[in-house]
Amino acid sequence: MTKAILAKDSLTDEAFLDVSSSLGGRRWLLARYDESLARQLSAKLGGDDLLGRLLAGREVIPSDVDRFLAPTLRDTFPDPSSFADMDKAAELTLDAILDGRKVTVFADYDVDGGTASAILTRYFRSWGRALGLYVPDRLTEGYGPSPQAFQQLKNSGQELVITVDCGAAARDALSEARRIDLPVIVLDHHLMQGDVPDCAALVNPNRPDCSSNAGHLAGAGVAFVFAAAINRLAKKRGITPSSGTLPDLMQWLDLCALGTLCDMAPLKDVNRAFAIQGLKIMARNGNPGIRALADVSGIGEINSVYHATFMLGPRLNAGGRISDPRLAAKLLATDDRAEALAIAERLHAVNDERKALETSILDAATAQAERKLADNPDLPVLVASGEGWHPGVIGIVAGRLKDKFHLPSIVIGWGDGLGPVAKGSARSVSGINIGDVISEAAQEGRLLSGGGHAMAGGLSVQPDDIDAFSEWISERLTGRAKDLAQARHLSIDAVLSPGAVTVDTYDTISRIGPFGADAPEPMFAIQDIEITQSRAIGENHLKFTAEDGGGQIECLAWRARDTALGDAIIGGGRLHLAGRLKLNEWNGRKRAQFEVADAALA
């Protein structure tokens, strides 16, 4: 079994390069690795010492190297029948397709929900059937199915509903669907507690009685496996669409990869294959919606996790955050180039609105956080709140606060037109299970509702109760200094000389990608290097060169202006740098850059 993330106890105890508090407030620790394993891996890989060390740090054993570096669907795809209720769900759906019944997909409003719904829409289309679409409004309906939504679908004549990326916790809605005789198939991947709700079928690799061992799948991955289950059932029955061949699922791996990457699903086992193979499909531009969104975003060839996660993802999410929640699903499902461009341009514009909202709220939330930390430097959690703060962007702002201050952060907003109560979103650091703490607060009546998982959560609260909740959660997390200290640790994989910042080195590192959740991109340190020729780019980024006797390198530091890191770069002098290798391509020319994540005075 391969492991793609370093455990806490695999880090050295002593501060690396004596950096116990960097310019970013981090303690640098060197990642341990098994030197004997690294030598074996290096020998297997033709003497590549760096690749051997990186793989050893990720505890990949020699017999797993080929499977890790080049994962295939053949080797990693789960057996659909190992999922509880999968065969039942496939039979119900195939019968509905053959009978021409009216079916609607009920999707979450994020990228994962949009990609999952698009996979099923395209699958139904391959059988010559239309699939209806329902996506709830974030402000007026909230997350997931509601009794009212199912009643509306029943009244419109729908005979089967398939939820994607939601539904497993919608007990009241599913009870209502059963009462009004509306069959519902739930396709979900979120953690479940208690008994399985009563519905036509509930497919979730994280339901307690599921034996698939595929709990790492995103909603798009579950939908893809579901489509494979229907294909397998149709083949068993000897049934095909009018085309004479079963739908080719491989053509939709781009959607599966996009949902997997944007939902930050752990990149292990089949998810690695989804991402690697799906990016190849994405680069072929077969999906008009993805291509149109890339065009309006200024992306040429779509060939990286960065393009999918940080360029396409935010734009696809923008509709569900502050506009029409159906836009992403409709864009990804259409085959009409003109319609795709129109939707893509709208999403691009909405994303600009989202960024403006985010910037405004982030500035206010940061100011609140800084005032609270000035009053209490040992504060274990940040709670920022404001009237008019849009629920569609507070999660992003909470993540920014968490990254800046290395503390669990909760951002809460309320106001006219933003829903009946205040909504909060939380992002946590390693070692603090914020979902459990929020659930505890809800159970004690300190919140109207709330929950989540280790690294993120959501809540509803009356605005007048926010201060009391803030005091309670601060008291609840007091005494967790050791856990909070670990959140400030920066793991360094290896030291690079400036002369090693090359395209060849980048290509070597890329072999262990793609990088994402549970598959961290290697972090390197460059020791005692002089900073020269810095300049601002964009609103708050810095570009600079760094050099020593071994050579000169080009560096980037994102969002560094007006920070201690930015001041040190602009001031020049000698620094230790920590960061990642990136590739800059322009006019057919490639060169390596060093993307700085942190620095310390040398």
Side-chain angles (χ1 to χ4, degrees):
M1 177 63 69
T2 59
K3 297 183 180 180
I5 186 168
L6 294 169
K8 290 188 182 73
D9 60 5
S10 67
L11 301 175
T12 54
D13 297 323
E14 295 183 3
F16 183 58
L17 298 177
D18 291 326
V19 179
S20 57
S21 183
S22 68
L23 294 169
R26 312 292 290 274
R27 179 182 178 87
W28 293 9
L29 300 175
L30 188 63
R32 291 193 183 102
Y33 67 100
D34 185 323
E35 294 186 13
S36 174
L37 176 60
R39 286 193 296 270
Q40 295 176 51
L41 291 165
S42 176
K44 184 176 179 65
L45 295 164
D48 193 320
D49 292 337
L50 176 59
L51 189 58
R53 173 168 181 164
L54 293 176
L55 288 170
R58 282 147 181 80
E59 299 181 21
V60 178
I61 60 177
S63 59
D64 280 350
V65 166
D66 293 338
R67 188 169 183 260
F68 183 86
L69 296 179
T72 65
L73 290 179
R74 180 185 296 276
D75 291 336
T76 59
F77 200 78
D79 177 7
S81 294
S82 67
F83 291 71
D85 276 3
M86 180 69 85
D87 291 338
K88 182 196 298 185
E91 186 168 358
L92 288 168
T93 304
L94 181 58
D95 288 345
I97 289 172
L98 297 175
D99 294 343
R101 277 179 257 160
K102 296 181 70 174
V103 184
T104 283
V105 61
F106 187 110
D108 190 18
Y109 36 61
D110 66 359
V111 180
D112 194 22
T115 51
S117 70
I119 289 170
L120 296 190
T121 298
R122 291 180 173 279
Y123 187 84
F124 268 65
R125 190 181 299 152
S126 295
W127 283 88
R129 301 297 186 191
L131 181 64
L133 173 67
Y134 190 106
V135 184
D137 183 271
R138 180 188 291 266
L139 295 182
T140 61
E141 298 181 80
Y143 169 78
S146 65
Q148 295 78 13
F150 282 157
Q151 184 67 63
Q152 180 181 331
L153 289 168
K154 176 69 173 181
N155 293 342
S156 69
Q158 298 305 307
E159 298 170 276
L160 176 65
V161 174
I162 305 172
T163 75
V164 291
D165 192 31
C166 61
R171 296 180 180 277
D172 291 344
L174 292 173
S175 293
E176 176 67 9
R178 178 67 76 182
R179 187 187 72 79
I180 61 177
D181 195 27
L182 176 65
V184 177
I185 294 172
V186 172
L187 303 183
D188 203 349
H189 69 114
H190 293 97
L191 296 178
M192 295 178 62
Q193 295 180 345
D195 297 334
V196 176
D198 184 21
C199 57
L202 195 152
V203 179
N204 183 342
N206 284 306
R207 63 181 274 181
D209 59 341
C210 185
S211 61
S212 66
N213 196 31
H216 53 285
L217 289 179
V222 174
F224 192 88
V225 176
F226 176 58
I230 303 173
N231 259 9
R232 187 168 70 174
L233 178 61
K235 183 177 181 180
K236 182 179 179 180
R237 291 187 184 179
I239 302 168
T240 62
S242 59
S243 63
T245 59
L246 290 171
D248 177 11
L249 305 186
M250 298 302 104
Q251 63 184 313
W252 304 320
L253 274 175
D254 52 357
L255 293 169
C256 192
L258 190 57
T260 298
L261 291 168
C262 290
D263 211 53
M264 301 299 174
L267 293 183
K268 63 179 185 178
D269 300 329
V270 73
N271 281 352
R272 278 180 57 80
F274 282 154
I276 291 172
Q277 304 304 326
L279 286 171
K280 293 177 183 177
I281 300 297
M282 211 178 297
R284 298 175 188 169
N285 300 319
N287 185 295
I290 295 176
R291 183 62 258 168
L293 192 59
D295 287 342
V296 302
S297 305
I299 303 173
E301 182 183 359
I302 310 169
N303 59 12
S304 70
V305 171
Y306 177 82
H307 287 150
T309 307
F310 298 105
M311 297 290 286
L312 299 177
R315 289 167 172 82
L316 289 167
N317 268 327
R321 290 190 183 280
I322 62 172
S323 183
D324 184 345
R326 300 170 299 169
L327 290 175
K330 292 171 68 174
L331 175 71
L332 298 171
T334 185
D335 284 327
D336 186 305
R337 169 69 176 174
E339 181 186 22
L341 277 173
I343 298 175
E345 288 170 354
R346 186 175 175 192
L347 280 172
H348 186 67
V350 170
N351 190 55
D352 286 341
E353 295 175 27
R354 187 272 307 168
K355 287 192 287 187
L357 268 175
E358 177 192 329
T359 298
S360 174
I361 296 172
L362 178 60
D363 289 345
T366 301
Q368 282 190 31
E370 288 174 340
R371 287 195 299 270
K372 290 185 176 185
L373 288 171
D375 291 339
N376 180 7
D378 296 325
L379 199 64
V381 60
L382 297 173
V383 179
S385 61
E387 186 171 4
W389 289 9
H390 197 290
V393 299
I394 55 176
I396 303 173
V397 174
R400 299 275 192 228
L401 293 184
K402 182 264 297 183
D403 291 340
K404 180 178 178 66
F405 297 105
H406 313 298
L407 290 171
S409 300
I410 302 172
V411 179
I412 304 172
W414 73 94
D416 290 342
L418 300 180
V421 297
K423 297 291 180 64
S425 190
R427 298 293 182 269
S428 195
V429 296
S430 179
I432 304 292
N433 189 319
I434 198 68
D436 282 354
V437 179
I438 290 175
S439 294
E440 182 181 340
Q443 290 166 7
E444 292 186 11
R446 302 177 187 279
L447 301 170
L448 296 173
S449 63
H453 52 79
M455 303 304 288
L459 59 89
S460 297
V461 62
Q462 293 292 352
D464 291 344
D465 294 333
I466 293 173
D467 288 343
F469 166 69
S470 180
E471 292 179 9
W472 177 87
I473 196 169
S474 293
E475 293 176 1
R476 179 68 177 73
L477 293 179
T478 295
R480 303 289 293 274
K482 183 177 180 180
D483 292 325
L484 293 172
Q486 289 178 338
R488 295 180 178 273
H489 292 170
L490 182 65
S491 172
I492 305 294
D493 285 275
V495 177
L496 289 183
S497 67
V501 180
T502 65
V503 172
D504 286 344
T505 304
Y506 172 85
D507 288 341
T508 293
I509 296 165
S510 297
R511 293 186 64 189
I512 67 169
F515 304 114
D518 278 10
E521 192 169 357
M523 181 72 65
F524 299 101
I526 297 177
Q527 301 181 64
D528 194 10
I529 191 165
E530 186 172 1
I531 309 304
T532 60
Q533 302 178 38
S534 64
R535 64 184 178 88
I537 56 174
E539 293 184 2
N540 55 2
H541 315 304
L542 293 174
K543 187 174 185 177
F544 62 99
T545 56
E547 56 187 74
D548 67 2
Q552 183 184 85
I553 59 174
E554 183 179 275
C555 303
L556 293 168
W558 304 113
R559 301 187 186 90
R561 292 190 67 182
D562 300 321
T563 67
L565 171 61
D567 292 343
I569 290 170
I570 293 171
R574 305 191 72 82
L575 297 175
H576 300 313
L577 302 178
R580 306 173 181 90
L581 258 65
K582 299 293 180 180
L583 191 66
N584 186 324
E585 297 185 62
W586 181 254
N587 287 335
R589 180 171 173 256
K590 297 181 180 181
R591 65 179 187 274
Q593 294 178 322
F594 196 72
E595 186 179 280
V596 176
D598 198 7
L601 299 176

